[in-house]
């Protein structure tokens, strides 16, 4: 088997689960990590429900609340960065176990608090422990699962957390009222302790990283300083005043720390870091806006705090729906932001325009809040998935802290708004609506930064029109006009989306037509061979790249060609077209396989001379099976050697290699003697291009081709090709090179023996 270079056959990415039970084990680990991370959502809801009792029993004052909130938030952001970094260096499972132990102790401290200050200390400890638990779960999740599966896994994971938010918001007040806050805190301690035991039992430490992260103390200190200073400045500004010198010093110091950390941070493609930061800020800001404004507007309409909590829980219902949509369909970050953030902004506009009026029921408010949650999570989930898939494994813990830290910063920014900063009492209805308008602006700005400008501007224009009409007190007629304007804007968006979909459909059809014209479909049976093939261009909308493959049944037997042209783009496609045209004509006229390779060599030379390209060449592998002889003739022109798959293992075929096509050496002065490979009935020969074996994950590790083939159940060539296709898509989130695969086996294949004979002329690696 090919040596992967990692201890124990591992890659430093996937835990050491047994091959036959890996899928089930991963599912258990994913569900357990989701349940543990849900504590990050449940604990704040339990605290909020218990605050009235704590104020009455312990004398909790506004000053205590300020200290708990400011210090707790700042230290939580700092803990996110620190725990992620320690997890990178010392092991993420170890950090998770330690965090759960601290969380258990913190909840026990809350349950036994004897005065207000002891309760404040317990809250701060719990906030820090919850932050460490969340970032450790997120980093472990991204370590356990391959980058290509992060979107699906993260969609289900965030959906589970959204459902936990729904249950916590609705049940926490009832639990706190029925049992008292001490028993509720004790129950949280028991839950954290049980989670610690389950993690110790079912979550193993992943394989050691093949490359340990180099300590960067300046970056770490800068991130810690920013995490401590930024939320403190945002939350102290409303209390001290924005003109206070101390607030200015904190903001300037936080900004400088962020600049230093950004300069030392590894650059990720596609702006995924900035996109994740933006959606995190928008998500945190929106959550606070709804949590502050909804109870005020609902009570003003005659509702109760429980009905307000019920409406607020709709945010989790909509968020779960958005996450599941992303899990089911590959929504791109741009599409999610273009559709989700404007939709959430429209929902906030509808809330501030209607909720609180007698003509609007709480049921309507519930639906609108669900739409807001759906839109925000539709934008956040793809951004976060792309970011986690692109982050190198050596920096995953620190980088995974970005999203929860940005959410906390968003909540701190929302609490810095004067309408949301009051602790002594709830804001007035007019202030609550003003807060919703500010939230609309934040979502609109995020949509402009992350989505398609045309879509965002159209929705923002419709939302602004409705805002002006409501602000002018237009009454029912104004609401009708606004509804008509929104309907017209929605119609324009639907029409634009329809036109875009039609253009994309035409482009896809053109790409498929081009691919079928250049690369003919490979039949499943040709001559006396069973075949299976795959061609996947790196650029999905082109249809054809620089790789090529073809199979023909000629008078001399079944002939197969697979290879890779140097270069990319249109020039590579033209070379592929010329080369395949030559093969399709000469394969029927040239009896000797070596002479056929020489003619392909001369064809590449002619193409290079016509274009004035002295560096043009192509690697190729030619195979011939005539059915009469018990073997396959092979000519290797600088290409990767094929792999032989049998019931007993995977071996690399030893085939002498000639120079690639285009060097003018094939058949020059002496004939090329094809190498004969005896092919047993149970042997499947797999030939491929370097796009498969050199596919990299976010840590620049190559796809372990032989290892993955050995893990596959012995089956048909089609089964092996599909297994490789699924495996490489899970391995990498971004395909950098074209992939061509062809697998072949003699057609008359008896049932494989338990230990069949090995392919001759091979060598074990």
């Amino acid at each position: 088997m090919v040596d992967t270079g990692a201890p124990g056959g591992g890659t430093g990415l996937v835990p050491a689960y047994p091959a036959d039970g890996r899928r089930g084990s991963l599912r258990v680990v994913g569900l357990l990590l989701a349940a543990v991370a849900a504590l990050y959502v449940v604990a704040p809801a339990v605290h909020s429900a218990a605050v009235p009792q704590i104020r009455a029993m312990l004398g909790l004052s506004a000053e205590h609340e300020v200290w708990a909130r400011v210090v707790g938030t700042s230290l939580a952001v700092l803990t996110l960065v620190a725990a992620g970094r320690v997890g990178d260096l010392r092991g993420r499972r170890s950090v998770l176990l330690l965090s759960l132990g601290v969380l258990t102790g913190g909840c026990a401290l809350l349950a036994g608090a004897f005065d207000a200050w002891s309760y404040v200390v317990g809250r701060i400890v719990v906030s820090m422990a919850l932050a460490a638990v969340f970032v450790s779960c997120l980093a472990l999740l991204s370590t356990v699962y391959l980058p290509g599966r992060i979107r699906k896994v993260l969609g289900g994971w965030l959906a589970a957390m959204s459902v936990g938010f729904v249950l916590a918001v609705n049940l926490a007040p009832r639990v706190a009222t029925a049992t008292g806050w001490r028993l509720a805190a004790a129950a949280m301690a028991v839950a954290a302790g049980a989670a610690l035991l389950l993690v110790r039992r079912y979550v193993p430490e992943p394989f050691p990283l093949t490359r340990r992260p180099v300590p960067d103390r300046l970056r770490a200190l800068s991130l810690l300083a920013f995490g401590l200073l930024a939320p403190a400045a945002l939350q102290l500004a409303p209390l001290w005043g924005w003109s206070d010198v101390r607030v200015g010093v904190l903001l300037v110091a936080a900004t400088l720390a962020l600049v230093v950390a950004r300069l030392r941070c590894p650059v990720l493609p596609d702006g995924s870091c900035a996109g994740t930061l933006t959606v995190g800020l928008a998500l945190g800001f929106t959550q606070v806006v709804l949590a502050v404004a909804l109870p005020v507007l609902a009570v003003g309409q005659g509702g109760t705090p429980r009905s307000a909590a019920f409406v607020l829980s709709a945010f989790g219902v909509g968020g779960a729906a958005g996450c599941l949509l992303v899990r089911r369909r590959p929504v791109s970050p741009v599409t999610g932001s273009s559709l989700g953030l404007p939709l959430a902004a429209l929902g906030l506009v509808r809330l501030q325009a209607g909720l609180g009026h007698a003509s609007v029921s709480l049921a309507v408010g519930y639906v609108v809040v669900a739409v807001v949650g759906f839109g925000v999570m539709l934008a956040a989930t793809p951004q976060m998935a792309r970011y986690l898939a692109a982050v190198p494994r050596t920096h995953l813990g620190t980088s995974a802290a970005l999203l929860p830290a940005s959410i906390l910063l968003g909540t701190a920014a929302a609490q810095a708004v004067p309408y949301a900063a009051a602790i002594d009492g709830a804001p007035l209805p007019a202030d609550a609506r003003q807060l919703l308008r500010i939230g609309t602006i934040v979502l609109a700005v995020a949509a402009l930064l992350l989505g398609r400008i045309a879509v965002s501007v159209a929705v923002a224009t419709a939302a602004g029109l409705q805002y002006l009409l409501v602000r002018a007190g237009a009454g029912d007629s104004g609401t009708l006009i606004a509804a008509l304007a929104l309907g017209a804007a929605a119609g324009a968006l639907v029409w634009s989306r329809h036109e875009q979909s039609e253009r994309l459909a035409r482009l896809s059809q053109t790409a498929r037509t081009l691919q079928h014209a250049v690369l003919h479909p490979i039949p499943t049976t040709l001559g006396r061979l069973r075949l299976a093939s795959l061609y996947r261009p790196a650029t999905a909308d082109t249809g054809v790249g620089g790789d090529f493959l073809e199979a023909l049944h000629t008078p001399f037997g079944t002939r197969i060609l697979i290879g890779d042209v140097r270069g990319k783009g249109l020039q590579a496609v033209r070379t592929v077209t010329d080369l395949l045209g030559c093969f399709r004509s000469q394969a029927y006229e040239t009896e000797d396989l070596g002479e056929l390779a020489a003619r392909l060599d001369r064809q590449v030379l002619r193409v290079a001379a016509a274009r004035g390209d002295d560096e043009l060449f192509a690697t190729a592998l030619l195979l011939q099976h005539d059915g009469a002889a018990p073997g396959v003739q092979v000519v290797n022109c600088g290409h990767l050697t094929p792999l032989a798959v049998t019931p007993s293992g995977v071996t690399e075929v030893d085939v002498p290699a000639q120079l690639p096509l285009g060097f003018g050496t094939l058949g020059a002065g002496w004939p090329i003697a094809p190498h004969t490979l005896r092919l047993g009935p149970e042997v499947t020969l797999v030939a491929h291009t370097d796009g498969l074996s050199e596919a990299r994950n976010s840590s620049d590790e190559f796809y372990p081709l032989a290892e993955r083939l050995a893990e596959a159940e012995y089956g048909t060539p089609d089964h092996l090709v599909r297994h490789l296709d699924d495996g490489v898509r899970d391995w990498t989130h971004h395909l950098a090179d074209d992939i061509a695969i062809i697998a072949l086996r003699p057609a008359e294949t008896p049932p494989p023996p338990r230990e069949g004979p090995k392919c001759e002329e091979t060598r074990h690696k």
Side-chain angles (χ1 to χ4, degrees):
M1 187 180 297
V2 176
D3 185 11
T4 62
T11 63
L13 185 65
V14 183
Y17 297 113
D20 56 352
R22 174 176 294 175
R23 190 171 300 275
S25 300
L26 290 181
R27 186 177 294 110
V28 170
V29 171
L31 292 174
L32 179 57
L33 291 178
V36 173
L39 296 173
Y40 189 75
V41 176
V42 174
V46 173
H47 161 72
S48 298
V51 163
Q53 298 180 25
I54 300 168
R55 285 177 178 172
M57 295 182 63
L58 299 180
L60 195 68
S61 64
E63 181 184 3
H64 298 121
E65 284 286 309
V66 169
W67 277 99
R69 190 178 70 181
V70 174
V71 177
T73 303
S74 297
L75 291 182
V77 175
L78 186 147
T79 304
L80 284 170
V81 179
R85 183 60 178 171
V86 174
D88 287 337
L89 297 173
R90 301 298 181 186
R92 289 150 194 157
R93 176 177 176 270
S94 303
V95 174
L96 178 57
L97 292 174
L98 178 61
S99 305
L100 287 172
V102 175
L103 179 60
T104 303
C107 292
L109 180 61
L110 286 179
F114 52 88
D115 61 7
W117 284 112
S118 63
Y119 183 82
V120 169
V121 172
R123 270 189 58 187
I124 293 173
V125 172
V126 169
S127 298
M128 296 173 63
L130 286 172
V133 166
F134 186 85
V135 73
S136 300
C137 288
L138 190 58
L140 267 173
L141 187 81
S142 303
T143 305
V144 167
Y145 290 94
L146 296 173
R149 294 191 59 83
I150 288 297
R151 174 185 58 83
K152 293 184 178 181
V153 174
L154 191 63
W157 199 68
L158 292 178
M161 295 197 65
S162 298
V163 173
F165 173 80
V166 174
L167 296 176
V169 169
N170 286 287
L171 298 180
R174 292 176 171 81
V175 172
T177 303
T179 64
W181 63 272
R182 291 189 185 276
L183 284 179
M188 287 293 301
V190 172
L196 189 151
L197 296 177
L198 291 173
V199 169
R200 185 184 295 274
R201 171 67 177 83
Y202 292 105
V203 179
E205 187 73 63
F207 278 129
L209 294 171
T210 55
R211 296 188 305 275
R212 305 299 293 178
V214 178
D216 190 340
R217 292 183 177 86
L218 180 59
R219 176 172 176 257
L221 291 175
S222 301
L223 288 174
L224 293 175
F226 174 76
L228 183 64
L229 298 175
L234 291 172
Q235 293 181 97
L236 290 173
L239 302 175
W240 291 349
W242 285 96
S243 59
D244 193 291
V245 176
R246 294 172 294 178
V247 174
V249 171
L250 288 175
L251 289 174
V252 170
T255 303
L256 292 177
L258 180 62
V259 170
V260 173
R262 182 65 185 89
L263 293 176
R264 307 284 296 191
C265 182
V267 179
L268 299 179
D270 304 326
S272 57
C273 183
T276 303
L277 178 62
T278 303
V279 296
L281 291 171
L283 175 58
F285 198 97
T286 305
Q287 287 178 332
V288 172
V289 163
L290 292 175
V292 173
L294 282 179
V296 177
L297 297 178
V299 172
Q301 190 178 336
T304 63
R306 288 189 176 181
S307 63
F310 176 72
V311 174
L312 179 61
S313 67
F315 185 84
V317 174
C323 295
L324 291 176
L325 176 62
V326 175
R327 173 183 171 83
R328 184 175 181 83
R329 300 182 64 86
V331 179
S332 69
V334 173
T335 301
S337 300
S338 300
L339 300 179
L341 293 176
L343 188 63
L346 283 177
L348 291 185
V349 171
R350 185 67 184 89
L351 279 177
Q352 62 91 13
L355 196 61
H357 293 286
S359 59
V360 179
S361 64
L362 290 178
V364 174
Y366 186 92
V367 173
V368 175
V369 173
V371 170
V372 175
F374 175 84
V376 172
M377 296 309 296
L378 182 65
T381 307
Q383 290 281 358
M384 186 178 178
R386 181 184 66 170
Y387 173 70
L388 290 177
V391 170
R393 306 295 101 181
T394 52
H395 297 86
L396 186 56
T398 310
S399 302
L402 178 63
L403 186 87
S406 61
I407 293 175
L408 286 178
L409 289 176
T411 61
Q415 291 166 350
V417 177
Y419 306 106
I423 295 177
D424 294 329
L428 299 174
D431 295 338
R433 290 194 178 88
Q434 187 66 22
L435 186 59
L436 289 174
R437 294 180 187 122
I438 296 174
T440 303
I441 295 173
V442 170
L443 290 178
V445 171
L448 287 173
L449 292 175
L450 302 177
R452 299 191 182 278
I453 296 179
V455 178
S456 302
V457 169
V459 177
T461 302
L465 176 61
Q466 184 175 4
Y467 168 77
L468 292 175
L469 291 171
V470 174
R471 184 75 174 175
D476 294 336
S477 60
T479 303
L480 177 61
I481 294 174
L484 292 175
L486 289 175
L493 289 176
V494 171
W495 175 82
S496 174
R497 180 69 177 171
H498 178 69
E499 289 292 310
Q500 185 182 17
S501 299
E502 286 191 346
R503 287 196 297 270
L504 290 176
R506 289 194 295 269
L507 288 175
S508 299
Q509 181 62 36
T510 302
R512 286 193 297 269
T513 302
L514 176 62
Q515 187 182 74
H516 290 163
V518 177
L519 303 171
H520 296 171
I522 304 297
T524 57
T525 302
L526 196 63
R528 293 191 175 182
L529 289 178
R530 296 180 63 182
L531 302 175
S533 64
L534 171 72
Y535 185 84
R536 187 176 297 282
T539 306
D541 54 354
T542 59
V544 179
D547 290 5
F548 54 89
L549 72 162
E550 180 62 287
L552 302 171
H553 188 57
T554 69
F556 315 110
T558 302
R559 286 180 164 177
I560 298 171
L561 172 68
I562 183 171
D564 186 4
V565 170
R566 177 191 173 275
K568 298 182 181 296
L570 183 58
Q571 293 293 338
V573 175
R574 291 175 57 187
T575 305
V576 167
T577 304
D578 293 338
L579 195 56
L580 288 179
C582 178
F583 176 74
R584 287 165 184 154
S585 64
Q586 296 300 318
Y588 290 93
E589 306 295 335
T590 309
E591 180 177 0
D592 183 68
L593 189 65
E595 176 60 22
L596 177 59
R599 296 189 181 189
L600 294 176
D601 181 42
R602 293 193 291 270
Q603 174 65 23
V604 176
L605 276 176
R606 287 191 292 268
V607 172
R611 298 178 188 169
D613 186 357
D614 296 334
E615 298 181 355
L616 179 63
F617 67 89
T619 65
L621 189 71
L622 289 92
L623 302 100
Q624 177 176 300
H625 181 266
D626 58 10
V632 176
Q633 290 186 334
V634 184
V635 174
N636 184 0
C637 303
H639 196 70
L640 300 172
T641 56
L643 299 173
V645 183
T646 68
S648 58
V650 179
T651 53
E652 183 178 318
V653 179
D654 187 7
V655 179
Q658 311 290 332
L659 288 177
L661 304 178
F663 281 79
T665 58
L666 300 183
W670 61 86
I672 302 173
H675 182 79
T676 301
L677 170 67
R678 294 185 179 275
L679 192 65
E682 78 290 342
V683 177
T684 301
L685 205 61
V686 178
H688 60 92
T689 57
D690 58 2
L692 177 65
S693 56
E694 296 181 4
R696 298 172 183 261
N697 60 21
S698 53
S699 298
D700 284 339
E701 296 168 320
F702 290 125
Y703 177 64
L705 174 58
E707 180 181 337
R708 291 299 185 259
L709 275 175
E711 293 174 355
E713 295 181 2
Y714 184 80
T716 63
D718 181 65
H719 168 76
L720 290 178
V721 170
R722 284 188 285 108
H723 178 79
L724 291 177
D725 185 27
D726 293 340
V728 74
R729 284 190 293 178
D730 287 346
W731 181 260
T732 178
H733 69 291
H734 173 68
L735 194 62
D737 197 2
D738 307 325
I739 290 178
I741 309 172
I742 190 163
L744 57 100
R745 183 192 298 173
E748 298 82 14
T749 304
R754 186 174 183 85
E755 288 291 335
K758 297 180 176 61
C759 178
E760 295 186 11
E761 298 295 329
T762 59
R763 59 185 175 89
H764 285 277
K765 297 290 288 182

